[in-house]
Structure formats: structure tokens, C-alpha cells
Amino acid sequence: MRRTIAVLAGLVLAYAGAGCGGEREPGRTPPSASTPAERPAAGDHTLTLSHGGVSRSYLLHAPPGYDPARPTPLVIALHFFPGSGAAMRELAGLDARADRENFLVAYPDGRDGGFNALICCGSADDVGFLGALTDHLVDAWRADPDRVYLTGISNGGDLSFRAAVEGDGRFAAIGVVSGGYSGPLTEPDSYVPKQPVSVITFVGGQDRYADTFHEGLRTWQRRLGCRPVPGKAEPGRAGITRVDARCADGSDVTVWSLPEMSHSWPGATAGQLAAPDAGLTATDLIWEFFAAHPRRR
């Protein structure tokens, strides 16, 4: 399926140089009001958080082994446009992995189906919202501040890159599927994380934006002084390659290239943008990468 944000006339202009801005709140976001009945416990929760005078909704999955007395890793999963947290939950299949590995998963809803990322969609302070959501889940749900991660597809993948740069060091690593580091905000060489943020990403060769995604990854690695380490073709996965790099700040970059895949989530078996026959399962590889990359100080 073609990238869903392409339906907007504004996106056609976006890659030609148009973009969406948005004010950012420096430093740690003050705690925001949350749902009064919220009580940390295992299970599935439908919650809200007030940010910037707006009530923002999100789903939260806490695994059966969740213990509010112990720090727990947190993955925040960001949907495509137009989409929702529920659609991302169906697509990524992170809940089952969370139940095995004992981590929290949050699925925020973008406003009007989208996030204000690097090239679109909207004008909400979504980086600020992700910061407020992270701070709330650290404070109220005992998420481990050194093991907070972002993953997303398409519009949500773009926002993962934006939050990696503008998120004030909250995020240890990002997992980007069919998304990229591009657009007017990324033009200055200074637009890189000030603290190490590791990246794992998946690019389909049949994705109409594949060249843009690869160019953005080259720019990211050049700016951060990343040096390649030996890559390899995965046995039994014809044509699929993995290339790794270590950057000057100690972060890592892993790029999976899937020549036969389009704008999709590899290995997903349900939901919009699923690619069950892609040859690998992005959800498992993303979590394995996250587990190996706590926040570097």
C-alpha cells in the first residue's frame, strides 16, 4: 500500500520543501493531569493525558508480570496517517512480545488521525506530548527512564526521528518502519540528537519513498560520525540485507533493506500496512535491538 499520507495534497509539496512547524517546551515537561481513575496494574487501559490544554488519548498495555514497584521498560508505538493507537496495536503485535519480555506499551492517538512529524501531519505539539506522556508513565507507572523507546511506521516513524532529536534525551532508541529523516527541519547539520539515540530501521525497496529514506539515513550517519561495521545477507532471506554502524557518540544504527517490500510493517499478520511474507518480523527485531540499547549518558 502506498504511503498513507500521500493522499494529502500537502504531502506532495512536503518532500519538495514544505513542512510543519510547532513550538517545543524545553526541558522536562511538568506533570499533567491524567485520568482520575487511573491505577497502575496489569492489563489493557484506555487513558487520557492533558497537554497544552488538550486532552490526548492513548492505550496502555501492561503485561501480566507488571509490578508497579519495579522499573519497567516502555515502548511508545506511533501509528501511520490516517490512523489511531488501536490500529497501531493491531499492526505491530507488540502486546504479545511485551507479555513475554515484561515491558509496557503505549499507543498514543494523533490529533485528527496524524502526528506533527517532519513533513506533516498537523500542528499539534506532538514532541511535547510524547515528553509529557513519558514523564507521566515514569512517575505514575514506574517506567524505567533509561529504557524508554519509540517505534512507529510512516508518519509515526517520521515523528520518532523528530522526537529523537527534540526529545531532550528521553528516548534511548527508536525503531522506524517505512519512515524517514527528511524535510525542512532536518536541513541544518545541527539537527541531530544532543545525547545518543540508537536507530533500527526497515526500508522496502518497492516503497516510493525508499530513496528519500536511504538519503536521510546517510545524512544522519554522516552528521553523527557513524562508521560502518560488516553487514551481511541473512541466511534464507534472499536479497534482504542488514547494515550496521557505530556512531561517534556511542549510538548504533541498523538498517534493514527488503527489496521486495513496499510501504509496510514486515512480518505483521493483521492490520493496515501488514506484510506477513516480508521475510522477517520487524516487531521481534525492534524489541531485541531496544533490549540491547538502554539510554547512554
Side-chain angles (χ1 to χ4, degrees):
M1 178 176 178
R2 292 185 177 184
R3 197 178 196 199
T4 51
I5 57 176
V7 299
L8 290 181
L11 179 59
V12 176
L13 297 175
Y15 276 113
C20 299
E23 293 299 320
R24 297 287 166 260
E25 298 180 10
R28 179 177 168 85
T29 306
S32 300
S34 186
T35 307
E38 184 175 335
R39 292 184 177 85
D44 294 322
H45 308 264
T46 301
L47 303 170
T48 60
L49 187 73
S50 177
H51 177 70
V54 177
S55 180
R56 300 291 300 264
S57 57
Y58 66 102
L59 304 175
L60 183 67
H61 177 77
Y66 171 72
D67 180 353
R70 294 187 304 172
T72 304
L74 167 66
V75 176
I76 301 175
L78 305 172
H79 60 73
F80 47 85
F81 175 82
S84 65
M88 185 63 182
R89 165 180 268 169
E90 179 185 29
L91 176 67
L94 277 161
D95 289 3
R97 187 77 195 212
D99 289 349
R100 295 196 301 271
E101 305 291 344
N102 202 46
F103 60 89
L104 296 164
V105 193
Y107 303 93
D109 289 321
R111 296 190 66 187
D112 299 319
F115 296 109
N116 179 12
L118 293 170
I119 57 172
C120 86
C121 299
S123 59
D125 177 17
D126 282 316
V127 172
F129 168 56
L130 291 178
L133 177 61
T134 298
D135 294 345
H136 171 69
L137 294 175
V138 167
D139 292 341
W141 286 77
R142 201 74 188 281
D144 186 341
D146 289 328
R147 293 183 292 168
V148 178
Y149 308 98
L150 292 176
T151 187
I153 182 169
S154 195
N155 180 220
D158 296 351
L159 180 58
S160 296
F161 272 114
R162 183 170 189 173
V165 176
E166 300 179 23
D168 299 312
R170 286 182 178 86
F171 308 111
I174 61 173
V176 176
V177 179
S178 301
Y181 174 73
S182 64
L185 285 175
T186 69
E187 291 174 3
D189 280 348
S190 60
Y191 193 78
V192 290
K194 302 304 182 287
Q195 298 183 42
V197 180
S198 292
V199 178
I200 181 171
T201 188
F202 301 80
V203 180
Q206 304 305 308
D207 193 324
R208 63 185 297 184
Y209 301 105
D211 290 344
T212 299
F213 296 157
H214 282 300
E215 179 61 29
L217 289 165
R218 286 190 289 270
T219 299
W220 179 277
Q221 293 183 67
R222 174 181 58 79
R223 290 174 176 173
L224 290 173
C226 307
R227 303 177 69 88
V229 297
K232 60 181 180 179
E234 293 296 300
R237 299 171 179 172
I240 297 176
T241 60
R242 166 183 169 172
V243 177
D244 298 310
R246 169 60 59 90
C247 307
D249 64 0
S251 64
D252 291 317
V253 177
T254 292
V255 179
W256 286 92
S257 298
L258 298 88
E260 301 304 317
M261 190 182 78
S262 61
H263 199 75
S264 306
W265 186 284
T269 58
Q272 193 175 350
L273 304 184
D277 300 322
L280 55 78
T281 302
T283 298
D284 291 341
L285 293 169
I286 287 169
W287 172 250
E288 290 165 9
F289 185 87
F290 286 172
H293 290 87
R295 183 167 62 174
R296 296 177 60 90
R297 295 181 181 275

